[in-house]
Every structure is written in structure tokens, then in C-alpha cells.
Amino acid sequence: MDTAIVTPTLRAKDYKSEVAPVWCPGCGHFAVLSAVTKALAHLKLPKERVAMISGIGCSSRLPAYVDAYGFHGIHGRALPLASGLKAARPDLTVIVAGGDGDGFSIGGNHFLHACRRNMDLTYIVMDNEVYGMTKGQASPTTQPDWAKSKLTPHGTGMRPFLPTAIALAAGASFIARGFAGDPNGLTKLLVEAIEHPGFAFLQVLSPCQTFRPEQKEWKHLVHPSDMAPTDDPVEAARFIQADDGMALGLFYVRRLPVWQPQHQPTATPADLEREFVL
Amino acid sequence: MTERSTLAGGATLAITGSGGSGAVTAGLILLAAVGRAGYYGLLGRSAGPQIRGGESAAMLRFGPQPIECMGGRFDLLVGLDWENVARFADELPLDRTSLVLTDAQAGPIPEILVRSGAQVRSMPWKALADAQSEGRMNMVALGMVGAMLGLPLDALEAGARATLGDKGGRVLTSSLDCIRSGYSATDAAPVPPSALAPPVARWNISGNEAAGLGAVRGGVRFVAAYPITPASEVLEWLAPRLELLGGSLLQAEDELASINMIIGSSFGGVPSLTATSGPGLSLMVEGLGLAVASETPVVVVNVQRGGPSTGIPTKSEQSDLNIALHGLHGDAPHLVLAALGIRDCVYTVEWAVGLAEHLQTVAIVLSDQMLGQSRAIVDPPGDLPFGAVQHTPLQRLIGTDADPDHRRYRPTPDGVSPMALPGLPGGMYTAEGLEHGPGGAPSSRAIDHAEQLDKRLHKLTGFDYGHGWAEIRGEGDHLLLTWGSSAGPVFEAAERLRGSGTPTRAIALRLLAPLQRDALLEAIGAAGSILVVEQNQTAQCFAYLHSQRALPAHARSYARPGPLPLRPAEIMRALIGSHTREET
Ligand SMILES: Cc1ncc(C[n+]2csc(CCOP(=O)(O)OP(=O)(O)O)c2C)c(N)n1
Ligand code: SF4
Ligand SMILES: [Mg+2]
């Protein structure tokens, strides 16, 4: 090789695009964006080999703010869009980002099947227990007695969805929880999630300043997980069921077969036509 | 019908039987055999509502010219048994000149068939089958019918080998024995082997297989889909073959997923397609809007069935035109095409893939159960015989390092902007379903909205589609205008009218959106009587053409719902009003 191509080392801010976020001041999603750019810089991923995929919601605006390839799709369908991209382009690092409404309500079915398909994707859900973008309705992770939305003046009356428990039951191979108020811990988890070969689910507690101001208290409620990461689903299940929803860290990681079609061409369409000839 | 009398002209016959009687297998072998004997042929099937087994009918028409529809009556009905045949009776029109063959042991012939006045003849199929080890009545009947139709024995044998080959030696051997025994039990004179072998080897293909082939010929290498009748065979054909081509098929969790998966793969640069039917298309429309707005090429093959809702999953209807044209919210211009026949499924899907790729948009291709699940003997489809002359081959404009301007949605003279693929360092952008400016950043400004709306519309309306927009046959003051699979009976109706002194032109639309209005008005010319023919209740195409001001005021509509196929004679009657004899 005569000339070695040297890629200059990129810093986190080099992964930020020029588009200004629409988020409210103090929104937890800012910290997630900065953790994403730090993780990409830490992993030295070439920007053009990264694809950020999302649906709709405040959180789903994230791709446009990252200087990489991106697709801001439709509400709830980020995971299938990302799965199709990864199936066609295994060479890319595909990161999916969205909210609790996007991922657990309208996109709930895709969440189950993405977990069990175990493609090599990273899925960040910025959970604020509310629909921020549509101005504050209850989401699947909202507590049953939260009565601040006009749509559910008596609260939802439904027990919240347990994302980590469901991810485990559906077969995800990496399950972790981070907090927007703990940027270093979050970046570390993101790095591990991206490096994990398989479907990595990262729930991020990301307070909604505007519609859930009481979430400011989260910084006093979160605590490190008291269990070392396990590859035993039974142990993980016991931990997750006893969890108060505020434990942070990597809970479960296991090497499971990764779904990725990869076939070398051995025929042309003209070859296929022969089967029809009488 | 007298024995052997239809040899030169072909014949129309149906084989019916209950589950396990092998009526459809016999039909498949007979189709393969008439093909080998030098005929064209068309094999349709009808099944009861059972998931598996249950009564079914195979309907075969063959002759020396390409067969594009089933015709109006049957020369021959082969009743292996009569259980539940009443469910099909209206699909099996017989008359006094029809012949019904059955075995006395199959029981009395249903009253509804007796009333047609057809002659009935009893055959010793059961006895002959019992004389063979593991003998089967359907194969004995097949041999006998083959002899009566004047087919060479070796064509029947080759048809059986091609159809049963994968079932293994014993089944094949005993079937061949039964075919021979039935064949020699008629008083028909023996036919010299393969007397009519055609100069070019023809194809035996179904519409769903043809759609799959069109897809891969067009360059599709990724498919995501959710199973649904009657589209599943497109997927079954594609799944193993995409792997041979270096691609893949992903069975999605639902159609919301499948459409978004192919948007993702296409964003990654791989031409992508899904196949579905009405209920699945309904679930996909939000995704189609995303593909339109983000200018991501995708193709949907919609194999129509009776609707609305779950409707009639196993029977044909052309009632999804409205949703294909108008189902998307917002101003969402896209391509809508319709396959005009089984062989045309290859061309139409291949063209649709090329157009979607070239124009960076959505193409919906309308096929239907009748095209999809019927098989035909056809001339091999050569290279795409139509398509835009100035853009060959049709393919995606991929962004490169050499592009002076990488803004993904920047306006260009033809509305198509280069699409950078992930991996290209200079081309990074975020594809958007939100309205956006030229670089892709979300925008709600009037000026950006107007610019992007115009870009997405004009790249479609300003494109030169060449002559593939329609197939036009014949000249005349009378005009039959149709779309999609109704082209078969319409072409035959027009030909018969011309033959009986009523000059009639037929136009079948392949490209429905964007409508080639000027070309259509020119093709309609000064026709004195115009009839728009389609298989749905509410005259969806007729209403659409009127809304586009593409029809003279005196045009009339002939529209009726499925599941019964349109027959040439009813179309002739609707056009000229006078009595037309039902014949094949
Ligand atoms: C099909 C559809 N239904 C409804 C909406 C309206 N909508 C937009 S975002 C959203 C909820 C977003 O909540 P979440 O995913 O939790 O994101 P957040 O805004 O809280 O970050 C809804 C209901 C939509 N865009 N599309
Ligand atoms: S509404 Fe809530 S989630 Fe949305 S940007 Fe504002 S603070 Fe963030
Ligand atoms: Mg939320």
C-alpha cells in the first residue's frame, strides 16, 4: 500500500449535526444525544457507517441531530425499518432510538419480535412515562394513578408495562437501564450495547421537564443495580421482578444466535427461468 | 362434443372432486401435457372454504392460440365424485352440447348439473383403478380424457413426470400405470407421439410465480412480507430463489413491519418489494406515505381478493383500485400498475421495480387471485418489450463522491435527486417523513412544502413512460376499455366481435397512475360506443377515469363484483346489447 489513509480521530462533538434540537430546555433527551455522540467517538465508528433510525415523538427526533446516516420514520415502526436496513446492510452499525409511547404502545408488537429475532441492533428507549410530543398523555409505562392528562382524568387504572421483564421474556440478549442524569454511566452502557452482537435493549430514564416535572426527583431515586450482569435468564427474571424500576446498569447479557441473512449469489435471474420451460 | 372433435381447436374442461380425489393434480398434469402437445393452456382452480382438502375444481382451457381467459362454458366435466359440487356449480356453466363423464360409483349426478341438459356418460374408472396396485381413479380418468382429447400418450406421461416428480418413484409409477390403462380403455385412435411440438419451448407458469420472477428480473434482492391468501405463493417462490441470487426474504410479524422493513432495506440501497392482499395493503398505507415522502423506492404486489374486510380470500375481484389510487393521506403521488395477464405479471412487476427505483417512489402493482393462482402455458417472456426509451435500464440514481451538491432532496429539472447510500462519506443525511427542506432538515415552511410537493409530483408526471401504459388491440368504432386481469375476457370479446362484423378496439390499462390521459384520449379517438369493463361493484376505474376527465360523456360502465370471472359473452352483450351465444 503506497498511501495509508488516516482517518482523523473524531471527537464527540464531531458526531453532532448542524440541526438544532426542538427539545424543551432541561429535557432528558439532550443527555441521551450527548451519550450517543460520546459512545460513537469512543468506538471510533466512521460516521458514514452508522445509521440512526427512529419513529415519531420528541425522543425520535434524535437521528437528525447526529451527523451520520439516519431515518426518521413513522410512529412505532422504527424497529422494522432498522431490521430491514440491517438485513440488507450487515456492514452498518444500526442504532434505533425512540420513546416509551413509540416503542411500547404503538410499536409494542415490533418490540417483542425484534427481541426474539435478535438482529445486531441497539435499541434505546428514552422512557419518560408520558407522550411528550402530543402534550402529555399517559403511556404504557405511566403509573395507574397519574391523573394529569385530560384523556385519563382518573388515571389509566392499568398496571404499567415492565420493559425489561418483557424484553427478557421475548428473548432479548442484552438488557440494561441507564439514566439521563448519569451521563458517564449512560455512555458506558451505550458502548457495551453497541458492541454487543445481537439485540441490545437499553431503557433510559429520560425525564420530561414539561409534562412530568415531578421526574426531577428521579435523580434521588435511581441507584446502581446490586446484581452483577448475569447470563442466566432465571436469575435475571428474579432480579427484574423485584426491581423498583430505578436500578441502573447492565442486568442481563447472553450470547444468542444472531439473525442475519447472508447469502452469496450462485445464480442469475436467467438461470431461474429454466424451471418454467416445458 | 364428440370424441377427438376438438383436437385442432382445443377444448374447455373441468375436473371436480372432493378432498383427496386429486382433481387439481389431474388438472396440473393435463396442463403440462397439453403444453407438451403444442397447445397453449390456462388452468384455473376453485376451492371450497376448507383450509386443506375439501372439494375443489380444476378448470382447463387449451387451444392453438394463447389463452387469456376461461371462456363461457365447458365442453367436458370430469366428475371424480359429486360431494359438495353444488358449491361450484355456478362456476361450471354447461349446456346441451357439454359432456359429463363420471363413474357410476360416484353416485347420482347433482340435479343442478342435470338441468343443463348436458349428456352424461358413465366410465369404469374405479374398476380400472382397482385393477392396478395403488391405482388412483383420478389418474385413470386423466388417461381416458387425454385420449379422448387426442393428446399423445407421451405428452401425458411427461406431464405426470414433471408434476409428480418430487413425490417419489412409487406414486409416479402407479400413476403412469393408471394413465396408460385409462388411455388404452377408450376407442380413440392412437395419436402419433408429440405430433404438435412447438418450435420454441413454452413455459408453464402461474401469475404469482411470474410476479416473483418479474421482481428479481427488475433487481429486487430483499423482500419482507407477512403471509396472506392469495399472495403467499409469490413469497414461497421468492424465498429460496432470493437466496440463490444473494438476497433474502424476511417473514415479518405483520404488514406494518413488512412495509417498513423494505423501506429500511431500500434506504440501504437494495431494491425491495413486498407482496400482500387487501387486508395487508390496508395496514401498509401509512408506510407507503413514508416511502413517498422520504423518496425511498419500494414495490408492493397486491394480489386482490374479494373484499371488503376479510371478504372472500380464495376468490378474485378487482376492488382494490380505489385504495391503491387514493388510500394514502396527504398529496402522495405514486405509481399504480396492473398486470394484464399471467405472462404480463413478469413484465408489469419488472417494469414497476424499474420505475420505482428510477423515480424513487412507491409502485403498487395490482394482480388478483385469478391471475396469481392460475397457471398457463405461455410463450417465454423475452426482455421487457416496453418502458421508457430514454432510460434503459431503469435504475436508481445513486449519489457519488463526484456530486457537486449532496442535499438529498434538492430540486432538480426532472425532480429526481441523487440518493447517497449509507457508507458514502460525503452523503450523510436523515431521510424524513416530516416535510423537509432540500437538505432533509424538517421544515413546516410554505415554500419548502410547495417545493417538495412539486418535486414529488413532477418527477412522476413529467416522466416519459413510453408505450407500456396500455395494451391496445384492434380497430373499430366500438371500444372496450379495461384494466388489469379483465384484459383477458375483454380482448377475447373484442376479437369475437371483430370476427362477427362488429369492429371493436380494446384498450387495457397497465399504468393507472399517473394516468396517461393524453395518450388515452388519443387512443379512444372518436369511438362511437365505449364500455369500461371491470370486476367490482362500484365501477372504480370508470369513476376514476371520469374524475381525470379522460372519458367522453357517452362512455358507459360494465362493472360487476367477483367472485365469478368475467366472461367474454357478457361483455359482448353489454357492449352491443344484442344476443350473443355463450361459447368458449
Ligand atoms: C399513527 C400515529 N398516531 C399518533 C401520532 C401522534 N403521536 C406523535 S408522537 C406520539 C407519542 C410519543 O410519545 P413517546 O414515544 O413516548 O415520545 P416522547 O415524545 O415522550 O419522547 C404520538 C401519540 C402519530 N404521529 N402517528
Ligand atoms: S415535551 Fe417533554 S419529552 Fe418533549 S422535548 Fe419537552 S421535555 Fe422533552
Ligand atoms: Mg415518552
Side-chain angles (χ1 to χ4, degrees), chain B residues 219-243:
Chain B
V220 167
R221 293 295 180 272
F222 183 76
V223 171
Y226 190 76
I228 187 166
T229 305
S232 294
E233 297 91 1
V234 179
L235 311 172
E236 288 165 1
W237 189 85
L238 280 167
R241 290 162 185 85
L242 279 168
E243 295 189 4

mmCIF file of all heavy atoms in Angstrom, chain B residues 219-243:
data_model
loop_
_atom_site.group_PDB
_atom_site.id
_atom_site.type_symbol
_atom_site.label_atom_id
_atom_site.label_comp_id
_atom_site.label_asym_id
_atom_site.label_seq_id
_atom_site.Cartn_x
_atom_site.Cartn_y
_atom_site.Cartn_z
ATOM 1 N N GLY B 219 -34.498 -6.579 -10.377
ATOM 2 C CA GLY B 219 -33.366 -6.298 -9.493
ATOM 3 C C GLY B 219 -33.675 -6.449 -8.019
ATOM 4 O O GLY B 219 -32.805 -6.204 -7.175
ATOM 5 N N VAL B 220 -34.907 -6.852 -7.663
ATOM 6 C CA VAL B 220 -35.246 -6.990 -6.237
ATOM 7 C C VAL B 220 -34.392 -8.073 -5.603
ATOM 8 O O VAL B 220 -34.266 -9.184 -6.125
ATOM 9 C CB VAL B 220 -36.748 -7.337 -6.081
ATOM 10 C CG1 VAL B 220 -37.057 -7.794 -4.652
ATOM 11 C CG2 VAL B 220 -37.606 -6.131 -6.460
ATOM 12 N N ARG B 221 -33.789 -7.730 -4.467
ATOM 13 C CA ARG B 221 -32.982 -8.716 -3.739
ATOM 14 C C ARG B 221 -33.367 -8.789 -2.265
ATOM 15 O O ARG B 221 -32.763 -9.528 -1.510
ATOM 16 C CB ARG B 221 -31.480 -8.390 -3.860
ATOM 17 C CG ARG B 221 -30.943 -8.553 -5.288
ATOM 18 C CD ARG B 221 -30.987 -9.993 -5.781
ATOM 19 N NE ARG B 221 -30.484 -10.120 -7.136
ATOM 20 C CZ ARG B 221 -31.223 -9.981 -8.245
ATOM 21 N NH1 ARG B 221 -32.526 -9.714 -8.146
ATOM 22 N NH2 ARG B 221 -30.680 -10.111 -9.432
ATOM 23 N N PHE B 222 -34.343 -7.993 -1.840
ATOM 24 C CA PHE B 222 -34.826 -8.127 -0.464
ATOM 25 C C PHE B 222 -36.343 -8.035 -0.464
ATOM 26 O O PHE B 222 -36.927 -7.164 -1.118
ATOM 27 C CB PHE B 222 -34.242 -7.050 0.459
ATOM 28 C CG PHE B 222 -34.681 -7.227 1.898
ATOM 29 C CD1 PHE B 222 -34.121 -8.225 2.696
ATOM 30 C CD2 PHE B 222 -35.680 -6.427 2.442
ATOM 31 C CE1 PHE B 222 -34.543 -8.416 4.014
ATOM 32 C CE2 PHE B 222 -36.100 -6.604 3.764
ATOM 33 C CZ PHE B 222 -35.531 -7.605 4.544
ATOM 34 N N VAL B 223 -36.961 -8.973 0.257
ATOM 35 C CA VAL B 223 -38.410 -8.996 0.396
ATOM 36 C C VAL B 223 -38.723 -9.215 1.868
ATOM 37 O O VAL B 223 -38.108 -10.067 2.519
ATOM 38 C CB VAL B 223 -39.013 -10.152 -0.443
ATOM 39 C CG1 VAL B 223 -40.496 -10.332 -0.146
ATOM 40 C CG2 VAL B 223 -38.805 -9.890 -1.938
ATOM 41 N N ALA B 224 -39.641 -8.425 2.403
ATOM 42 C CA ALA B 224 -40.175 -8.703 3.737
ATOM 43 C C ALA B 224 -41.680 -8.809 3.556
ATOM 44 O O ALA B 224 -42.267 -8.029 2.804
ATOM 45 C CB ALA B 224 -39.832 -7.588 4.720
ATOM 46 N N ALA B 225 -42.305 -9.778 4.203
ATOM 47 C CA ALA B 225 -43.731 -9.975 3.954
ATOM 48 C C ALA B 225 -44.359 -10.803 5.053
ATOM 49 O O ALA B 225 -43.678 -11.490 5.812
ATOM 50 C CB ALA B 225 -43.931 -10.667 2.606
ATOM 51 N N TYR B 226 -45.678 -10.725 5.112
ATOM 52 C CA TYR B 226 -46.477 -11.491 6.057
ATOM 53 C C TYR B 226 -47.433 -12.332 5.215
ATOM 54 O O TYR B 226 -48.035 -11.815 4.277
ATOM 55 C CB TYR B 226 -47.245 -10.510 6.953
ATOM 56 C CG TYR B 226 -47.935 -11.148 8.120
ATOM 57 C CD1 TYR B 226 -47.208 -11.561 9.235
ATOM 58 C CD2 TYR B 226 -49.315 -11.345 8.121
ATOM 59 C CE1 TYR B 226 -47.846 -12.147 10.321
ATOM 60 C CE2 TYR B 226 -49.948 -11.929 9.203
ATOM 61 C CZ TYR B 226 -49.214 -12.330 10.299
ATOM 62 O OH TYR B 226 -49.839 -12.912 11.370
ATOM 63 N N PRO B 227 -47.563 -13.621 5.522
ATOM 64 C CA PRO B 227 -48.345 -14.492 4.639
ATOM 65 C C PRO B 227 -49.810 -14.069 4.517
ATOM 66 O O PRO B 227 -50.409 -13.657 5.497
ATOM 67 C CB PRO B 227 -48.275 -15.863 5.331
ATOM 68 C CG PRO B 227 -47.165 -15.767 6.322
ATOM 69 C CD PRO B 227 -47.008 -14.329 6.681
ATOM 70 N N ILE B 228 -50.363 -14.175 3.331
ATOM 71 C CA ILE B 228 -51.800 -13.918 3.135
ATOM 72 C C ILE B 228 -52.225 -14.554 1.814
ATOM 73 O O ILE B 228 -51.499 -14.487 0.822
ATOM 74 C CB ILE B 228 -52.103 -12.394 3.166
ATOM 75 C CG1 ILE B 228 -53.620 -12.144 3.130
ATOM 76 C CG2 ILE B 228 -51.412 -11.651 2.045
ATOM 77 C CD1 ILE B 228 -54.028 -10.704 3.488
ATOM 78 N N THR B 229 -53.402 -15.152 1.819
ATOM 79 C CA THR B 229 -54.002 -15.679 0.597
ATOM 80 C C THR B 229 -54.555 -14.498 -0.189
ATOM 81 O O THR B 229 -55.168 -13.618 0.423
ATOM 82 C CB THR B 229 -55.173 -16.625 0.966
ATOM 83 O OG1 THR B 229 -54.666 -17.629 1.853
ATOM 84 C CG2 THR B 229 -55.790 -17.260 -0.262
ATOM 85 N N PRO B 230 -54.413 -14.452 -1.467
ATOM 86 C CA PRO B 230 -53.754 -15.389 -2.379
ATOM 87 C C PRO B 230 -52.373 -14.903 -2.841
ATOM 88 O O PRO B 230 -51.997 -15.157 -3.973
ATOM 89 C CB PRO B 230 -54.739 -15.414 -3.558
ATOM 90 C CG PRO B 230 -55.315 -14.018 -3.578
ATOM 91 C CD PRO B 230 -55.225 -13.454 -2.199
ATOM 92 N N ALA B 231 -51.628 -14.248 -1.938
ATOM 93 C CA ALA B 231 -50.321 -13.722 -2.351
ATOM 94 C C ALA B 231 -49.170 -14.624 -1.913
ATOM 95 O O ALA B 231 -48.036 -14.442 -2.352
ATOM 96 C CB ALA B 231 -50.111 -12.320 -1.775
ATOM 97 N N SER B 232 -49.448 -15.579 -1.037
ATOM 98 C CA SER B 232 -48.345 -16.321 -0.418
ATOM 99 C C SER B 232 -47.444 -17.032 -1.418
ATOM 100 O O SER B 232 -46.243 -17.169 -1.171
ATOM 101 C CB SER B 232 -48.891 -17.325 0.599
ATOM 102 O OG SER B 232 -49.493 -16.632 1.670
ATOM 103 N N GLU B 233 -47.997 -17.480 -2.540
ATOM 104 C CA GLU B 233 -47.139 -18.204 -3.495
ATOM 105 C C GLU B 233 -46.065 -17.304 -4.098
ATOM 106 O O GLU B 233 -45.026 -17.799 -4.538
ATOM 107 C CB GLU B 233 -47.944 -18.835 -4.638
ATOM 108 C CG GLU B 233 -48.935 -19.904 -4.200
ATOM 109 C CD GLU B 233 -50.300 -19.334 -3.917
ATOM 110 O OE1 GLU B 233 -50.480 -18.115 -4.079
ATOM 111 O OE2 GLU B 233 -51.193 -20.109 -3.519
ATOM 112 N N VAL B 234 -46.329 -16.001 -4.143
ATOM 113 C CA VAL B 234 -45.273 -15.087 -4.618
ATOM 114 C C VAL B 234 -44.084 -15.222 -3.674
ATOM 115 O O VAL B 234 -42.921 -15.323 -4.088
ATOM 116 C CB VAL B 234 -45.760 -13.620 -4.629
ATOM 117 C CG1 VAL B 234 -44.649 -12.694 -5.099
ATOM 118 C CG2 VAL B 234 -47.007 -13.453 -5.490
ATOM 119 N N LEU B 235 -44.396 -15.259 -2.376
ATOM 120 C CA LEU B 235 -43.352 -15.318 -1.349
ATOM 121 C C LEU B 235 -42.687 -16.686 -1.332
ATOM 122 O O LEU B 235 -41.469 -16.794 -1.163
ATOM 123 C CB LEU B 235 -43.960 -15.006 0.017
ATOM 124 C CG LEU B 235 -44.837 -13.745 0.047
ATOM 125 C CD1 LEU B 235 -45.557 -13.617 1.377
ATOM 126 C CD2 LEU B 235 -43.978 -12.514 -0.217
ATOM 127 N N GLU B 236 -43.514 -17.736 -1.489
ATOM 128 C CA GLU B 236 -42.954 -19.094 -1.482
ATOM 129 C C GLU B 236 -41.993 -19.282 -2.649
ATOM 130 O O GLU B 236 -40.979 -19.966 -2.532
ATOM 131 C CB GLU B 236 -44.079 -20.129 -1.556
ATOM 132 C CG GLU B 236 -44.863 -20.214 -0.249
ATOM 133 C CD GLU B 236 -46.191 -20.943 -0.395
ATOM 134 O OE1 GLU B 236 -46.509 -21.408 -1.517
ATOM 135 O OE2 GLU B 236 -46.916 -21.030 0.613
ATOM 136 N N TRP B 237 -42.326 -18.676 -3.767
ATOM 137 C CA TRP B 237 -41.432 -18.789 -4.915
ATOM 138 C C TRP B 237 -40.148 -18.001 -4.657
ATOM 139 O O TRP B 237 -39.040 -18.464 -4.933
ATOM 140 C CB TRP B 237 -42.119 -18.288 -6.201
ATOM 141 C CG TRP B 237 -41.301 -18.594 -7.423
ATOM 142 C CD1 TRP B 237 -41.298 -19.766 -8.127
ATOM 143 C CD2 TRP B 237 -40.315 -17.739 -8.035
ATOM 144 N NE1 TRP B 237 -40.380 -19.693 -9.144
ATOM 145 C CE2 TRP B 237 -39.766 -18.481 -9.118
ATOM 146 C CE3 TRP B 237 -39.847 -16.459 -7.794
ATOM 147 C CZ2 TRP B 237 -38.773 -17.945 -9.952
ATOM 148 C CZ3 TRP B 237 -38.858 -15.930 -8.615
ATOM 149 C CH2 TRP B 237 -38.329 -16.670 -9.686
ATOM 150 N N LEU B 238 -40.311 -16.815 -4.071
ATOM 151 C CA LEU B 238 -39.150 -15.938 -3.908
ATOM 152 C C LEU B 238 -38.180 -16.396 -2.824
ATOM 153 O O LEU B 238 -36.958 -16.259 -2.982
ATOM 154 C CB LEU B 238 -39.619 -14.516 -3.579
ATOM 155 C CG LEU B 238 -40.084 -13.676 -4.765
ATOM 156 C CD1 LEU B 238 -40.812 -12.424 -4.276
ATOM 157 C CD2 LEU B 238 -38.902 -13.284 -5.658
ATOM 158 N N ALA B 239 -38.694 -16.933 -1.708
ATOM 159 C CA ALA B 239 -37.823 -17.146 -0.545
ATOM 160 C C ALA B 239 -36.551 -17.932 -0.890
ATOM 161 O O ALA B 239 -35.447 -17.438 -0.666
ATOM 162 C CB ALA B 239 -38.596 -17.788 0.595
ATOM 163 N N PRO B 240 -36.652 -19.132 -1.450
ATOM 164 C CA PRO B 240 -35.405 -19.858 -1.729
ATOM 165 C C PRO B 240 -34.611 -19.251 -2.882
ATOM 166 O O PRO B 240 -33.382 -19.340 -2.915
ATOM 167 C CB PRO B 240 -35.889 -21.264 -2.096
ATOM 168 C CG PRO B 240 -37.310 -21.107 -2.516
ATOM 169 C CD PRO B 240 -37.850 -19.914 -1.797
ATOM 170 N N ARG B 241 -35.310 -18.636 -3.828
ATOM 171 C CA ARG B 241 -34.612 -18.148 -5.019
ATOM 172 C C ARG B 241 -33.853 -16.847 -4.755
ATOM 173 O O ARG B 241 -32.802 -16.603 -5.345
ATOM 174 C CB ARG B 241 -35.599 -18.021 -6.178
ATOM 175 C CG ARG B 241 -36.026 -19.409 -6.649
ATOM 176 C CD ARG B 241 -37.285 -19.402 -7.476
ATOM 177 N NE ARG B 241 -37.712 -20.757 -7.807
ATOM 178 C CZ ARG B 241 -38.465 -21.515 -7.011
ATOM 179 N NH1 ARG B 241 -38.871 -21.071 -5.833
ATOM 180 N NH2 ARG B 241 -38.808 -22.731 -7.388
ATOM 181 N N LEU B 242 -34.390 -16.018 -3.863
ATOM 182 C CA LEU B 242 -33.639 -14.812 -3.496
ATOM 183 C C LEU B 242 -32.293 -15.202 -2.897
ATOM 184 O O LEU B 242 -31.281 -14.538 -3.127
ATOM 185 C CB LEU B 242 -34.433 -13.977 -2.488
ATOM 186 C CG LEU B 242 -35.527 -13.091 -3.076
ATOM 187 C CD1 LEU B 242 -36.431 -12.548 -1.976
ATOM 188 C CD2 LEU B 242 -34.935 -11.936 -3.885
ATOM 189 N N GLU B 243 -32.289 -16.286 -2.118
ATOM 190 C CA GLU B 243 -31.015 -16.721 -1.522
ATOM 191 C C GLU B 243 -30.019 -17.112 -2.610
ATOM 192 O O GLU B 243 -28.831 -16.801 -2.517
ATOM 193 C CB GLU B 243 -31.257 -17.884 -0.561
ATOM 194 C CG GLU B 243 -32.097 -17.451 0.634
ATOM 195 C CD GLU B 243 -32.194 -18.512 1.722
ATOM 196 O OE1 GLU B 243 -31.552 -19.573 1.589
ATOM 197 O OE2 GLU B 243 -32.926 -18.259 2.701
#
